[in-house]
Amino acid sequence: MSQGPKKTIPEKNMILSATEGGPMEGILTQWRRERPDIDPTPMAVCGEIWRAGEKLRQGVLSNISNYNLDFAGMDVLFTLRRQGEGETLSPSLLAKDMMLSTSAMTNRLDRLEKRGLVKRMMDPNDRRGQMVALTDEGFDLANEMVVSHVQTEEKMLSNLSSDERQHLRFLLEKIE
Amino acid sequence: MSQGPKKTIPEKNMILSATEGGPMEGILTQWRRERPDIDPTPMAVCGEIWRAGEKLRQGVLSNISNYNLDFAGMDVLFTLRRQGEGETLSPSLLAKDMMLSTSAMTNRLDRLEKRGLVKRMMDPNDRRGQMVALTDEGFDLANEMVVSHVQTEEKMLSNLSSDERQHLRFLLEKIE
DNA sequence: CTTATTTATTTTGATATCAAATTATTTGAC
DNA sequence: GTCAAATAATTTGATATCAAAATAAATAAG
């Protein structure tokens, strides 16, 4: 209440809370004791990114499981939905878009097709190729699901102001 | 060269580069067209986190595969190594630490034990329990590997200043 | 035209994971 | 002490993934 100038306190708190108290700090302490020759902060940064990603993934998954879907299925439905109504993508493009093997995509599409959410159509210009589209049911489901999906994400990000979110993206994009 | 005050330009650039050019921007554009009623920026933030995490994972994996290991094995080795030489953890604790099922941990330990990197010992105080420790070989490998591991991460984070890294962690920790 | 190469998708075989069941042991209630 | 509930680890069964092989069709070179 009487020590430093008030001006510096917010900044100080910011820095402190990024290095204290977090679940990462114990790990860093261990490494510093075992390998004082190594600066472990890169591990902390990467670890926080993975931890945050995992937390977000859990939250998103818990929402979409209300629709009897998993992350994989949601990914396909949303990718197709945001192309626009009636638009199609080939299995190869879908796989590339999601950084997935084409065989994994075959499997995902099989499951979604069995549930009636997507349909495969022959590509009229290339008999090797297929055109994958949402069914009406898939389109409606994606339309409904995206609302609660974004709400779920919004809730998990609610401690971040708009500026902070932008800054977070800015920093993440600098990762090589 | 003659328009606005120079002072604001860095901030402006910062904001611009977080919303333009990134691999996320096309996706946002699609969503804005299809669902103008929904603010898609939460998807962008989450997507950036997952994207960055995946990129880091790839880099780390490409380094540890020089040691014929995968992410799973590295995780176990490092968790044991940072406990200190000769320290042990039970399979349950290891599993909890890595947010993994105990059966997955059984599998990981089987593989590492087969390679002679860890050993299982009976817990003298609880005949149900085990104490997992690094072998000498495992200890040496962890010691060698952590150097290039941190270097690899450091390289991928090299575009971020020390302050930026701290700020990044600060922001990530706000995710609920 | 024919053959070789590339491209699109599926199938096969292997593996890491999880949830649930199993086995063995400890802890707690009485 | 005995029985029930909790805990530690493994086994089992199912599944999603990948890499590599297989199938089929388009493209290119001669």
Side-chain angles (χ1 to χ4, degrees), chain A residues 46-115:
Chain A
C46 296
E48 281 305 340
I49 292 171
W50 289 320
R51 198 198 52 78
E54 200 44 48
K55 189 165 234 168
L56 291 170
R57 190 172 293 273
Q58 293 308 320
V60 165
L61 180 63
S62 121
N63 174 57
I64 62 183
S65 61
N66 295 329
Y67 305 91
N68 276 312
L69 265 183
D70 53 11
F71 215 88
M74 179 202 73
D75 236 5
V76 175
L77 257 52
F78 281 178
T79 301
L80 287 170
R81 174 61 190 87
R82 66 173 193 259
Q83 309 300 314
E85 188 162 9
E87 294 299 314
T88 63
L89 283 177
S90 70
S92 314
L93 278 178
L94 281 167
K96 180 183 283 188
D97 210 82
M98 304 178 196
M99 310 210 300
L100 217 61
S101 68
T102 55
S103 48
M105 188 51 63
T106 296
N107 184 18
R108 287 189 183 192
L109 293 175
D110 285 349
R111 277 179 287 149
L112 290 170
E113 198 174 34
K114 234 170 259 169
R115 279 199 51 187

